[in-house]
Each structure stands twice: as structure tokens, then as C-alpha cells.
Amino acid sequence: MGDFFERIVDLEVSAADAGALAERMVDWMVGRGWLLRETSGAAMYSLQVDEGYVAGPEWAEIAQNWGGDWTPAPVAVIVGRNAHYSGQGEIEPAAAMCPQCQARTVIIDYPQVWEADPAVWQPFSNAIDSWKETGEGAATCATCTTTGPITSWQWADDFALGALAFDFWGWPPLTDEFVTEFTAQLGHRTEHHMGKF
């Protein structure tokens, strides 16, 4: 048992611009009848916010049909630099890909081990912490020795770094058409994943 969420993370918006973009996206969804201005914390478990926007009368237009009696939980709008994990719990990504040479650094060597190698993960973790606090953090590739912004690295397991995210709690799966339109409205690259509380 548990509560499921589907998340869309903006990978490119700056922390300075995230609040205004969040407001514009909520306006757009309210205007379409997919959300209401009303907020609630019922059945919503995002770590960064306590309440989300309640589903509007037309919410079923953007999700798969799970029957007329289904009522989704709120949509959390998360503004601020955060690391976003898919799946269940905050499990480190299995690998990171260098933005320069595309070399893959193994962080969790499945199936031999089931936890991150501390020596490998620590430099990434430090860079992520720095980015969350200051907006800047960098990691060095062990293969090509190039140092680059932590936000330019690519991650396994749908792990994402972003200053704006939307958690759809307890919704049927969002339609591909909606996710495409949502991404176009954001105007940036996104990560789309699911998880469980």
C-alpha cells in the first residue's frame, strides 16, 4: 500500500524565474479547468510543500480513465532548487553521465551491491548540496577530467535536479498528450517520472 505520484521537473528554469513560471502554469491549468485555486494537503506528501492545488472539474481530460468515481489528490507545485527522486525513497541514481564525453560513472553497481559507493557518490552529493544552497555546483569527470556544472550531468533512474516541479498525487497516469503540452508550456527540457510515498 502507499500513495503514488507522477512528477514533471523543469530541468532548465532558474530559481529566480521559477516562481513566476509556476504561477503561469497554475493559471494555465486553472483556466483549462484541470485545477482549482483551492488548495489542500489531503493525501499529498511532497516533502517541500504542505498543500497542493485541488483537481478541477475537467481533470479527467489529462489523465487515463480509471472510472467516473476516481478523485485525484492535489497537485503540489515545488519552487526552489531540489533533487527529485523517482521510485520509492531517496535512493541515489545508479549512474551519472558526463556532459562532455558521455562517460558513465557507476554509482551503484547493481546487482553486485545495492547502495551507492560513498567514494563515487560523495563528489556528486557535495556538488548537488552546493547547487541547492548557492545555485552553483560542479563535478569532475573521472574519464575526461572535465569539470562541469552539476545540472549539466545526466542521471540514471530518472533522478533530476530542478528549481520547479509538479507532483500529481493519486492521479491516474497522465496522458502523453498532456505531458507533451505541459512541457511545451514550460518551454524547457523536463524529466517525467513516477514514485511512491
Side-chain angles (χ1 to χ4, degrees):
M1 296 298 292
D3 290 276
F4 292 85
F5 65 85
E6 191 165 355
R7 176 182 291 138
I8 301 173
V9 182
D10 188 314
L11 300 176
E12 296 177 334
V13 69
S14 69
D17 295 336
L21 181 54
E23 289 179 16
R24 185 170 63 76
M25 293 300 290
V26 170
D27 287 345
W28 172 65
M29 288 189 282
V30 169
R32 296 287 188 94
W34 300 331
L35 295 181
L36 299 176
R37 289 271 171 214
E38 177 187 349
T39 61
S40 171
M44 196 206 79
Y45 306 100
S46 297
L47 298 177
Q48 301 86 356
V49 294
D50 295 326
E51 293 189 343
Y53 292 92
V54 175
E58 307 300 329
W59 72 267
E61 293 179 353
I62 63 173
Q64 294 180 18
N65 184 354
W66 277 10
D69 59 346
W70 189 269
T71 302
V75 175
V77 180
I78 302 165
V79 176
R81 290 184 291 267
N82 285 286
H84 298 280
Y85 300 80
S86 65
Q88 187 171 4
E90 294 187 358
I91 299 170
E92 296 87 352
M97 280 64 74
C98 173
Q100 184 68 30
C101 71
Q102 300 302 306
R104 184 174 186 268
T105 299
V106 175
I107 297 168
I108 305 176
D109 191 15
Y110 295 119
Q112 285 74 25
V113 294
W114 294 89
E115 294 180 352
D117 181 327
V120 176
W121 175 242
Q122 196 62 54
F124 292 111
S125 179
N126 291 344
I128 291 168
D129 288 344
S130 177
W131 168 76
K132 286 164 66 174
E133 292 175 15
T134 69
E136 296 183 7
T140 301
C141 177
T143 301
C144 72
T145 69
T146 300
T147 299
I150 195 65
T151 53
S152 66
W153 285 72
Q154 296 176 314
W155 308 94
D157 308 318
D158 298 327
F159 178 77
L161 301 174
L164 178 60
F166 299 81
D167 289 356
F168 293 76
W169 282 96
W171 286 57
L174 300 172
T175 66
D176 292 342
E177 292 79 9
F178 170 71
V179 173
T180 298
E181 187 176 5
F182 193 93
T183 299
Q185 287 288 327
L186 286 170
H188 300 131
R189 290 183 307 112
T190 60
E191 182 66 64
H192 175 213
H193 62 231
M194 297 182 183
K196 179 182 179 184
F197 174 79

